[in-house]
Amino acid sequence: MPIAFITGITGQDGYYLSKFLLEKGYVVHGTIRRSSTFNTSRIEPLIAKYSKEDNLILHYSDLLDSSSLSTLISTINPDEIYNLAAQSHVAVSFNNPVFTTQTGTLGSIALLESIRSLNKKIKFYQASSSEMFGGKSNEMLSEASPFDPRSPYAASKVFAHNITKIYRDSYDIFGVNGILFNHESPHRGETFVTRKITRAVSRISVGIQSKLTLGNLDASRDWGFAGDYVEGMWLMMQHENPDDWVLATGESHTVKEFVEEAFKIVNLNSSDYVETSEKYFRPNEVDFLLGDSQKAQNELGWKPKTSFKELVKIMVESDLELAKRESVLIKEGLLSPTWDNS
Ligand code: NAP
Ligand code: G4F
């Protein structure tokens, strides 16, 4: 059975990728961070299903602890490493620039060094990002487009992207960069804009929230479904030669369009509930992202399966179920709503 090692297994992509690999028959090892509260909620169903047979094994580690990463790689000797861990929130990266940069850069080089010294046959996937492009024009962006990072997060991703290429070219290591445009799901973190919107719309619809406060409504993103994108990550690792590939839908929508589509699903008018606040604007904005995934389509046979409208619907419907459960708990006095004004 092939063995995969995933950093960031507790995140959105970590959940979808480990599910995908486990269903393919992989043994999956993942790193989790020690935390004072549980941080494994996304992967609990996978733990219940796969850990008894030792197909899913979790290890305490941190991207800043290179010795623990190296010990794990030498003990597990995986076939494939997927480096998904990151402080992945762009706005937070302006407040925590050193931590974001350390996590985004040191982890990738520590993993690549482990591969170089322990076993050069181990394949390496780096989670690169469309944020690296900067988004100052309305052009379609591909693997050939220049990088122009606009946040500490994006700058750290450029470093990790470049060091992956450097190890590939210098040491003949199978290192790939997946340049992924925004991808979302019901498992998306709740402070990213799509999930913030679908959580609020659902709570407003069941009467337990009164407004939705956002930042820049004009920013435009190429939004796909995370479940589609993890298949692309795996396909990159199965390609004959390592390379860089863009995964994107080829459609860009503004935050305002996402908001309107989400409210339409619950038959409400967004203008009755949405307000903006300076608090959610960033010191520097990526205005427009639109990706060209032709190379991945031609070389990997990958293509996005979920449309923008389907994505919004999947997320709103899932969050409606959550909101209904919250509504019951509020009525029973077991939960206090804290989300208005957040
Ligand atoms: P996510 O939900 O924020 O998950 C991030 C993961 O990284 C979590 O498991 C988190 O652990 C872990 N982590 C954070 N800091 C760490 C550290 N110092 N050491 C070890 N683990 C750490 O992100 P995602 O949406 O799944 O994205 C996965 C990767 O793809 C990230 O690298 C992201 O930057 C990149 N990316 C995402 C998108 C997108 O649209 N989703 C697009 C392009 C690239 P905790 O659970 O303990 O916090
Ligand atoms: O959902 P966001 O926070 O995602 P962002 O900044 O595009 O980054 C995500 O995608 C990247 C790929 O391009 C990943 F690399 C990264 O890790 C992350 O997953 O914000 C999207 C847009 C921004 O322009 C932001 O200014 O939405 C705008 N926005 C407007 N109001 C808001 C809000 N964003 C957030 N998080 N919260 C708001 O209230």
Side-chain angles (χ1 to χ4, degrees):
M1 282 193 285
I3 301 173
F5 179 84
I6 304 177
T7 70
I9 196 169
T10 56
Q12 169 189 256
D13 291 6
Y15 163 74
Y16 282 103
L17 179 65
S18 50
K19 182 170 184 291
F20 177 85
L21 295 175
L22 286 161
E23 285 168 359
K24 278 205 167 295
Y26 276 68
V27 171
V28 172
H29 291 259
T31 65
I32 57 169
R33 295 194 288 177
R34 194 272 157 185
S35 155
S36 65
T37 52
F38 290 112
N39 56 5
T40 50
S41 59
R42 287 189 181 98
I43 55 168
E44 284 305 333
L46 302 177
I47 294 173
K49 188 166 175 191
Y50 292 100
S51 63
K52 272 188 230 97
E53 307 284 315
D54 267 358
N55 287 344
L56 174 60
I57 302 146
L58 301 175
H59 309 269
Y60 282 111
S61 184
D62 193 296
L63 284 189
L64 303 184
D65 187 341
S66 57
S67 73
S68 84
L69 292 172
S70 161
T71 304
L72 286 171
I73 303 304
S74 74
T75 317
I76 296 163
N77 194 25
D79 299 290
E80 298 171 6
I81 296 178
Y82 294 86
N83 184 30
L84 306 185
Q87 188 304 95
S88 74
H89 201 287
V90 175
V92 171
S93 82
F94 286 100
N95 304 115
N96 293 183
V98 175
F99 174 72
T100 304
T101 304
Q102 286 172 332
T103 308
T105 58
L106 297 179
S108 53
I109 193 158
L111 290 164
L112 286 161
E113 264 299 290
S114 295
I115 293 173
R116 186 181 71 79
S117 60
L118 296 168
N119 176 5
K120 290 210 282 181
K121 289 206 162 52
I122 299 173
K123 296 178 179 180
F124 178 76
Y125 174 90
Q126 171 58 30
S128 283
S129 166
S130 49
E131 278 290 304
M132 301 187 303
F133 295 120
K136 281 295 165 204
S137 83
N138 285 16
E139 274 166 35
M140 262 201 149
L141 299 157
S142 74
E143 298 79 6
S145 305
F147 297 149
D148 184 13
R150 294 186 181 274
S151 63
Y153 167 80
S156 78
K157 286 287 179 187
V158 171
F159 173 87
H161 182 97
N162 286 335
I163 201 75
T164 301
K165 276 174 93 159
I166 289 166
Y167 270 62
R168 177 166 84 208
D169 297 341
S170 311
Y171 303 119
D172 204 17
I173 282 171
F174 192 104
V176 311
N177 286 304
I179 309 172
L180 272 50
F181 282 64
N182 297 52
H183 44 281
E184 319 292 315
S185 75
H187 290 283
R188 183 58 141 155
E190 295 190 22
T191 59
F192 294 94
V193 79
T194 56
R195 190 77 198 290
K196 180 174 170 182
I197 294 166
T198 60
R199 278 297 254 155
V201 165
S202 308
R203 284 169 172 156
I204 289 169
S205 156
V206 302
I208 57 172
Q209 182 165 344
S210 54
K211 59 182 189 290
L212 166 60
T213 312
L214 293 167
N216 181 8
L217 300 178
D218 297 325
S220 196
R221 291 289 181 275
D222 182 326
W223 277 301
F225 173 55
D228 296 346
Y229 285 51
V230 298
E231 184 183 12
M233 294 178 189
W234 177 78
L235 286 168
M236 290 178 205
M237 295 287 258
Q238 313 315 310
H239 195 259
E240 200 180 338
N241 300 308
D243 205 342
D244 306 331
W245 287 276
V246 159
L247 300 185
T249 69
E251 262 187 46
S252 192
H253 295 270
T254 61
V255 172
K256 188 164 184 277
E257 284 170 328
F258 195 107
V259 168
E260 285 168 356
E261 186 60 32
F263 273 100
K264 209 156 79 183
I265 292 168
V266 294
N267 296 315
L268 293 174
N269 190 343
S270 61
S271 57
D272 295 333
Y273 302 97
V274 177
E275 59 179 27
T276 57
S277 162
E278 275 307 310
K279 186 175 157 188
Y280 297 110
F281 282 76
R282 299 170 181 188
N284 203 343
E285 179 62 287
V286 170
D287 296 323
F288 184 90
L289 290 175
L290 173 63
D292 174 359
S293 62
Q294 213 51 56
K295 182 176 169 189
Q297 300 201 26
N298 295 342
E299 295 181 1
L300 307 175
W302 177 86
K303 61 171 190 258
K305 298 180 185 124
T306 313
S307 71
F308 174 72
K309 283 189 178 200
E310 283 165 346
L311 174 68
V312 182
K313 191 160 184 281
I314 292 167
M315 292 179 71
V316 170
E317 284 178 352
S318 168
D319 280 338
L320 268 173
E321 292 309 310
L322 274 182
K324 283 176 196 158
R325 289 205 289 276
E326 285 173 337
S327 168
V328 172
L329 292 175
I330 290 168
K331 278 189 198 121
E332 290 173 356
L334 297 169
L335 183 69
S336 309
T338 53
W339 34 82
D340 256 336
N341 302 317
S342 67

